[in-house]
Amino acid sequence: MLDSARPSRTDDAAEDLAAQNGVAPRTLIAQRGLFTGPSALVPEDLYAEILRGAARRTRDRIDLTAATHVSTNSYWGRFHATYWQRWTAVSEVRVSLRANGHGRVWLMASDTNKVARAVDTFPVDSAKPTTVQLVGSIDRFVDGGGLWLELATETAELSVSEVQWTVEANTHARPTSITICTFNRVDDCLKTLESILGDEMALGRVDIVRVVDQGTDPIESSEQYPAISHALGDRLAYMRQPNLGGAGGFTRGLYEATADTPAEDHDVLLMDDDVLLDPEIIVRLTAFAACTTSPTIVGGQMLNLLHPAHVHITAEYADPERLEAGQPVQGGLHEAYLLGRDERFLPNVLDRRADTIYNGWWSCLIPAAVVRGIGYPLPIFFQWDDVEYGYRAREHGFATVALPGAGVWHSDFGWKDWDEWHRYFNLRNALITAALRTPFNRRKICAAVTELLAQYLVAMQYGLAATLLTAVEDFLRGPSVLDDGSASAAAEIRRIRAAYPETTAVPLAEAGLDVRESVVHLAGGKPSKIVRTWVKRALLQATGRVPFRSGMVPAGEAHWWHVSLFERAIVTDMAENGVRIRTRDQDRLRELTTRGVHTVRRLWNEGPQVAREWKAAEPRLTSRETWARLYDAV
């Protein structure tokens, strides 16, 4: 039974009630000025930096001692004016705050090249809290630049609190629901729900918090769930379904949000279950989406959970024909240290606007109008569902914005090993995306597959080679491979990979290593002539003349041109909690090489026709009827 219930709304924010009733609110809080994050593990300087002196920080208040200078020219502290000027019709932003003591408050702006200028200022000289208002025009930020506050004292103290950045909303804001897709991460999901509950303003922007539970350890069975459920009341829509991957879980939220007439639609903020959430992101994404000049996908950026001062990527694109996603857009930040300084000793913030092509679904707001216009995501389980949807939206005239200053902390991608079962979906779904969203250049695609296969084989990654070939073969089966939402494919690829021992990491203490194998070998630089290097490595292996019989290779050194020099390589897993033992196996090599030649030949000969079959099936695959069948079937 499909749940299309619409819990009633209990929002105390007058602007949002007005928006629900179809009346554009006069003002809208676009973001708040916060001084600490959601966890003590998060550096406070991501919110405000003490340039001189000392200050005491709480969530929405900062107390400056004498001779102190504080700047909010930081990831969470800036108002990213260039994005507002490019994608909205908002012409100015007003900053209000409460202050008492003696000091000065400046509203600062930056040019595209990070040169700062003062926009407005206010001297504070009051023992009692007084309201300060500053105004900044959003009129000189087409290519880049932002706004922020600076606070300073001389001989006395100053306290600042309740900082709010407000804009005039020029469109009717559609109600928003949050969809959290979860799979056996009970504690993580409950923490995310508690974070939302703990922020009144963020919760006030949300009509429904929908939890799609696809796990075998249901959240509703936990001890904490009843209290959270009671606190959320009729805003919580909890539903269980068998595992259809992230695509199936997130699509359920889009499906339910567009179940009735367009007048009843909700925009949907997709949220991963395993993030460290600052609920301020809800305020910022919903406000920005409400002000865009046309329906726009608005994404939050990914900050690294293990290294919370680093941003994973600020704008990205994909090259499906090369089977590559997550490529950084020129001018954006990639694995950047946000508390660092550039060559001019200026803050490492994103001043020049970098427009993304798509946004990951770790946190991403999708307007209902986009769903109505382009259909639902593909039933591809996970991996590339967000990429394909972003490119499809773009083809239909719907842009995606990755909004700086709105992020979630998510598990670092760099600490996840590439040789995992989900690599199957990454490869297969890249081919599907290439079929649907590119001319499907078979020369380029076959070259990419051949290159990967050749590298995996010489590096003794036989299970990964089998994963690649299975992905290509399943793509060539055509659209019928998605008939069950790829649930069977997830089980099958695990079964296939179980036959290859190097696909599993083992604790170092259980690896049974001889002391003679414990020598660590570091890689040299990347070869300048890749093809020639590969041929040399293949010849060395074929003749049994590899330089090293055995040895240890650190995770960051496990390039194919280095590992291929070993007969047996003990490679550190990327998570660094164990090792993977790769051993030369000539029988496996011959088997996979023969299979690879056959599969690539099939891809060359059959690929273009199969791509046309995928394209013809797109309306069916992305239809409401397909997802209704999948949800009813489970």
Side-chain angles (χ1 to χ4, degrees):
M1 182 73 131
L2 297 180
D3 175 11
S4 299
R6 290 286 185 267
S8 62
R9 193 176 200 193
T10 56
D11 191 349
D12 292 330
E15 304 91 65
D16 294 335
L17 281 173
Q20 184 184 7
N21 293 328
V23 180
R26 185 174 61 85
T27 61
L28 179 65
I29 297 173
Q31 68 182 56
R32 294 170 291 181
L34 304 172
F35 300 103
T36 62
S39 165
L41 298 176
V42 172
E44 293 175 325
D45 283 0
L46 288 176
Y47 293 79
E49 183 180 5
I50 301 171
L51 301 177
R52 182 183 71 249
R56 180 179 181 272
R57 293 180 268 203
T58 58
R59 180 67 167 162
D60 67 348
R61 180 185 177 94
I62 188 166
D63 299 305
L64 287 71
T65 62
T68 295
H69 187 178
V70 172
S71 172
T72 68
N73 188 20
S74 59
Y75 182 81
W76 286 96
R78 287 168 62 93
F79 180 86
H80 293 271
T82 181
Y83 288 80
W84 284 84
Q85 184 165 355
R86 170 64 181 88
W87 299 107
T88 80
V90 172
S91 59
E92 70 175 22
V93 60
R94 294 180 176 270
V95 188
S96 65
L97 55 92
R98 298 282 284 171
N100 63 279
H102 303 273
R104 183 171 290 275
V105 180
W106 289 269
L107 178 61
M108 303 294 294
S110 61
D111 301 334
T112 304
N113 60 1
K114 292 188 179 183
V115 175
R117 64 182 189 273
V119 172
D120 202 355
T121 185
F122 190 96
V124 180
D125 187 8
S126 174
K128 295 182 179 180
T130 184
T131 298
V132 174
Q133 292 210 20
L134 305 167
V135 180
S137 296
I138 304 176
D139 60 352
R140 296 178 181 273
F141 302 98
V142 170
D143 289 334
L147 295 160
W148 68 90
L149 293 178
E150 294 201 3
L151 322 170
T153 60
E154 293 182 356
T155 60
E157 297 179 349
L158 174 68
S159 296
V160 172
S161 63
E162 300 177 37
V163 179
Q164 295 182 342
W165 300 70
T166 62
V167 298
E168 289 190 4
N170 56 358
T171 58
H172 294 187
R174 188 178 297 280
T176 301
S177 64
I178 292 177
T179 293
I180 300 173
C181 172
T182 186
F183 178 82
N184 289 351
R185 289 194 175 112
V186 175
D187 291 341
D188 289 336
C189 188
L190 290 176
K191 286 178 183 177
T192 299
L193 292 174
E194 288 173 342
S195 295
I196 298 171
L197 265 172
D199 192 307
E200 183 177 350
M201 182 178 290
L203 186 59
R205 296 289 175 93
V206 180
D207 275 29
I208 303 168
V209 178
R210 179 172 286 107
V211 177
V212 182
D213 192 343
Q214 302 186 129
T216 55
D217 181 12
I219 290 173
E220 61 182 347
S221 299
S222 69
E223 293 182 0
Q224 300 95 327
Y225 178 79
I228 294 175
S229 176
H230 176 75
L232 282 170
D234 57 7
R235 290 189 190 215
L236 178 64
Y238 176 80
M239 55 187 64
R240 294 193 63 196
Q241 63 184 35
N243 189 18
L244 291 170
F250 285 135
T251 299
R252 187 64 179 267
L254 300 173
Y255 183 96
E256 299 295 338
T258 55
D260 299 320
T261 65
E264 299 297 319
D265 282 349
H266 285 191
D267 292 347
V268 182
L269 174 53
L270 306 177
M271 187 77 68
D272 266 350
D273 59 347
D274 59 342
V275 297
L276 173 59
L277 176 68
D278 189 326
E280 172 67 8
I281 191 177
I282 300 172
V283 175
R284 299 188 182 189
L285 294 186
T286 55
F288 191 87
C291 295
T292 54
T293 53
S294 60
T296 302
I297 297 174
V298 185
Q301 297 176 343
M302 176 184 148
L303 306 169
N304 290 338
L305 187 60
L306 287 174
H307 306 88
H310 289 75
V311 62
H312 166 56
I313 198 164
T314 58
E316 56 190 315
Y317 72 95
D319 187 347
E321 292 176 326
R322 286 287 304 165
L323 313 182
E324 295 175 345
Q327 303 302 299
V329 169
Q330 186 177 8
L333 300 179
H334 183 218
E335 300 300 341
Y337 180 52
L338 295 170
L339 302 183
R341 290 289 193 268
D342 64 14
E343 64 280 359
R344 293 179 293 167
F345 299 100
L346 296 174
N348 196 23
V349 294
L350 185 65
D351 259 297
R352 182 174 290 276
R353 195 187 71 255
D355 294 330
T356 197
I357 307 300
Y358 69 93
N359 199 93
W361 284 355
W362 42 73
S363 183
C364 189
L365 190 151
I366 300 179
V370 174
V371 181
R372 293 281 184 185
I374 74 172
Y376 295 94
L378 292 167
I380 53 180
F381 202 77
F382 77 149
Q383 301 278 338
W384 284 78
D385 46 348
D386 45 12
V387 180
E388 189 280 329
Y389 203 76
Y391 271 84
R392 193 188 337 154
R394 187 179 180 86
E395 286 182 10
H396 286 77
F398 298 107
T400 298
V401 175
L403 187 64
V408 291
W409 287 271
H410 184 281
S411 298
D412 304 33
F413 286 167
W415 284 59
K416 295 183 177 182
D417 208 283
W418 205 229
D419 192 356
E420 293 287 354
W421 66 273
H422 52 69
R423 180 68 168 133
Y424 161 85
F425 288 99
N426 187 284
L427 294 162
R428 189 203 67 178
N429 297 345
L431 289 167
I432 294 173
T433 303
L436 297 178
R437 308 269 75 90
T438 77
F440 200 82
N441 183 328
R442 64 178 176 177
R443 184 179 300 278
K444 185 176 179 181
I445 292 169
C446 288
V449 171
T450 301
E451 180 180 352
L452 288 175
L453 179 62
Q455 293 174 3
Y456 297 159
L457 290 177
V458 297
M460 299 174 286
Q461 291 181 289
Y462 304 119
L464 191 52
T467 302
L468 167 64
L469 295 176
T470 303
V472 175
E473 291 159 357
D474 284 357
F475 164 76
L476 292 172
R477 287 170 54 193
S480 64
V481 75
L482 302 185
D483 283 350
D484 67 345
S486 295
S488 61
E492 177 63 12
I493 195 60
R494 285 186 174 96
R495 186 195 66 78
I496 290 172
R497 288 174 55 85
Y500 299 88
E502 83 282 353
T503 62
T504 303
V506 297
L508 194 57
E510 300 175 12
L513 302 182
D514 188 286
V515 67
R516 290 168 295 183
E517 296 181 301
S518 300
V519 177
V520 175
H521 298 261
L522 303 182
K526 184 177 180 178
S528 59
K529 298 180 179 180
I530 294 295
V531 175
R532 179 186 293 182
T533 300
W534 185 90
V535 171
K536 286 182 177 180
R537 299 294 189 269
L539 287 173
L540 286 173
Q541 293 174 9
T543 57
R545 293 187 292 113
V546 291
F548 308 109
R549 293 301 152 196
S550 186
M552 300 187 70
V553 179
E557 306 287 319
H559 311 293
W560 65 264
W561 61 83
H562 180 53
V563 178
S564 56
L565 295 173
F566 293 80
E567 191 70 23
R568 170 180 154 97
I570 297 91
V571 179
T572 306
D573 184 76
M574 287 301 297
E576 298 215 24
N577 52 17
V579 294
R580 296 169 184 252
I581 301 176
R582 305 186 198 175
T583 305
R584 185 79 48 210
D585 188 326
Q586 295 296 341
D587 292 335
R588 291 276 199 201
L589 178 63
R590 282 190 292 271
E591 171 200 341
L592 290 167
T593 300
T594 301
R595 179 182 169 190
V597 170
H598 175 71
T599 301
V600 173
R601 184 181 295 121
R602 282 191 61 204
L603 182 61
W604 176 271
N605 293 330
E606 303 172 27
Q609 175 56 36
V610 173
R612 288 190 287 271
E613 293 172 8
W614 280 103
K615 191 65 178 176
E618 181 181 350
R620 173 178 62 82
L621 293 173
T622 61
S623 70
R624 186 172 182 84
E625 291 73 22
T626 285
W627 283 106
R629 176 182 60 78
L630 289 170
Y631 294 138
D632 281 338
V634 298

